[in-house]
């Protein structure tokens, strides 16, 4: 059945700031306390969406979450009016206020794990919301993520949205950032590779940084998404690269159809894994980047692998990269040599996503990949699909509601809470989502 991959990109929220909340994500830590520009951040993401949509790649939008999350502050013992809750948190626990104000939901590669209908035993498209329980500021996203996904994929005959796994360490789940799908045409059955960092009771684990994805979580998601067991591979990420800042698999590998583009040190027992994939995926091609040409440190610094690998109608592929990859002489030299080799990658497309990159997320972090048949795409909420009208409406919306500078001390401003809620209330009407935010319920 004819199908296409639709990239649902996360829209950066009005409280985008640099708080260094993500231990293990070196870019996040490095830029802590820098001055951010929420308006520019949102516009950089919108420009990427529009450019790819104009180039023929279907795009859609996932909205930001309500921040600051006042209800969570109330759970933590702060009381009074919403404004007083924010004020007390700013005075007594500013790091908590920063965490519940994080705009990290823009990285929707962590929103859920997706199973296309071609791989599911019941023939539906499945989405399992990620619990993101390794980091407090991300663990609070799951309820709103579920509400948003149910508003976008509301046709229960076509889609099945599953709640996040229980919030325990054994079931740590970081969503599609640790998931790859390999195969031929998008509408044909594929092989789903779930990548995990540790196994409960296992001995192979990083020592410096946490392994956020567990084998047990990956196995549970495969069951929830009704993936045909014959189409599943579980692979462990190399603990040594996690300790170098590879906090998700999409920082060291990206796949599309029959191609896996990865670093030569990405996985445990990598050659055995690649041999297994060659046996199971017709036409499988591994593009392994030698450590001698691009080190793991350089890959983390430039987010080389946090790129989007997109298929054109003629079968060739475009690699969508952050500007940092072009600015690094060694990485850019390697990428141009890749174009000259015999593989499907025929074009490099570079975007300035510096606001997101400085907080630790590149092009691939900003998108959730959903393979849809033509009928399934018609069942998606049409108001979220990117086109000229939506781009101009969102661009004007950002101009109206977003600040052009923000630092942690600004999070205590009661006007920011009001501005953010007004912005999201307007956005839910623009995207026809209904009431999906806590302040609306």
């Amino acid at each position: 059945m004819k199908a296409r991959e639709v990239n649902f990109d996360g829209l950066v929220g009005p409280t985008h700031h640099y708080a260094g909340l993500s231990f293990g994500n070196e870019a996040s830590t490095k830029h802590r306390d820098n001055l951010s520009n929420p308006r520019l951040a949102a516009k950089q993401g919108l420009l990427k969406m529009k450019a790819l949509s104009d180039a023929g790649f279907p795009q859609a939008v996932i909205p930001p979450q309500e921040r600051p999350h006042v209800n969570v502050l109330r759970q933590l013992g702060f009381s009074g009016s919403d404004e007083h809750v924010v004020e007390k948190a700013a005075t007594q626990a500013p790091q908590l206020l920063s965490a519940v104000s994080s705009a990290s939901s823009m990285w929707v590669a962590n929103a859920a794990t997706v199973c296309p209908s071609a791989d599911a035993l019941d023939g539906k498209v499945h989405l399992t919301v990620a619990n993101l329980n390794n980091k407090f500021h991300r663990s609070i996203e799951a309820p709103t993520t579920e509400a948003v996904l149910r508003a976008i994929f509301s046709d229960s005959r076509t889609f099945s949205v599953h709640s996040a796994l229980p919030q325990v360490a054994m079931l740590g789940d970081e969503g599609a950032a640790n998931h790859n799908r390999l195969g031929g045409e998008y509408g044909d059955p594929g092989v789903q590779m779930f990548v995990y960092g540790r196994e409960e009771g296992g001995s192979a684990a990083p020592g410096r940084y946490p392994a956020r994805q567990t084998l047990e979580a990956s196995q549970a998601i495969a069951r929830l998404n009704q993936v045909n067991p014959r189409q599943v591979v579980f692979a462990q990420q190399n603990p040594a690269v996690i300790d170098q800042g590879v906090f998700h698999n999409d920082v060291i590998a990206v796949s599309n159809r029959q191609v896996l583009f990865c670093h030569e040190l990405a996985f445990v027992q990598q050659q055995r894994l690649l041999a297994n994939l060659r046996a199971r995926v017709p036409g499988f091609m591994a593009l392994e980047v030698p450590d001698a040409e691009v080190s793991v440190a350089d890959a983390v610094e430039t987010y080389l692998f946090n790129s989007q690998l997109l298929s054109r109608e003629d079968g060739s592929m475009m690699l969508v990269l952050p500007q940092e990859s072009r600015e690094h002489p060694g990485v850019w030299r390697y990428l141009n040599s890749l174009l000259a080799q015999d593989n499907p990658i025929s074009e490099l497309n570079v975007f300035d996503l510096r606001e997101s990159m400085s907080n630790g997320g590149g092009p691939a972090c900003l998108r959730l990949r959903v393979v849809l048949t033509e009928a399934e795409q018609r069942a998606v909420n049409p108001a979220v699909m990117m086109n000229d009208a939506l781009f101009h409406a969102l661009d004007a919306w950002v101009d109206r509601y977003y600040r052009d500078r923000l630092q942690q001390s600004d999070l205590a401003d009661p006007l920011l809470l009001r501005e953010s809620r007004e912005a999201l209330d307007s956005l839910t009407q623009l995207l026809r989502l209904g009431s999906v935010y806590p302040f609306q319920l």
Side-chain angles (χ1 to χ4, degrees), residues 226-239:
Q226 297 205 24
V227 186
N228 188 323
R230 294 190 297 273
Q231 295 167 231
V232 175
V233 170
F234 297 102
Q236 184 171 9
Q237 191 165 322
N238 182 354

Side-chain angles (χ1 to χ4, degrees), residues 196-215:
Y196 64 96
R198 64 180 176 86
E199 178 181 1
E200 187 79 359
S203 58
R208 180 186 181 195
Y209 290 142
R212 303 184 186 187
Q213 184 82 26
T214 68
L215 173 60

Side-chain angles (χ1 to χ4, degrees), residues 66-81:
E66 178 191 348
R67 296 293 182 268
H69 201 313
V70 176
N71 287 0
V72 170
L73 290 177
R74 291 187 184 281
Q75 283 183 276
L76 298 175
F78 298 100
S79 60
S81 68

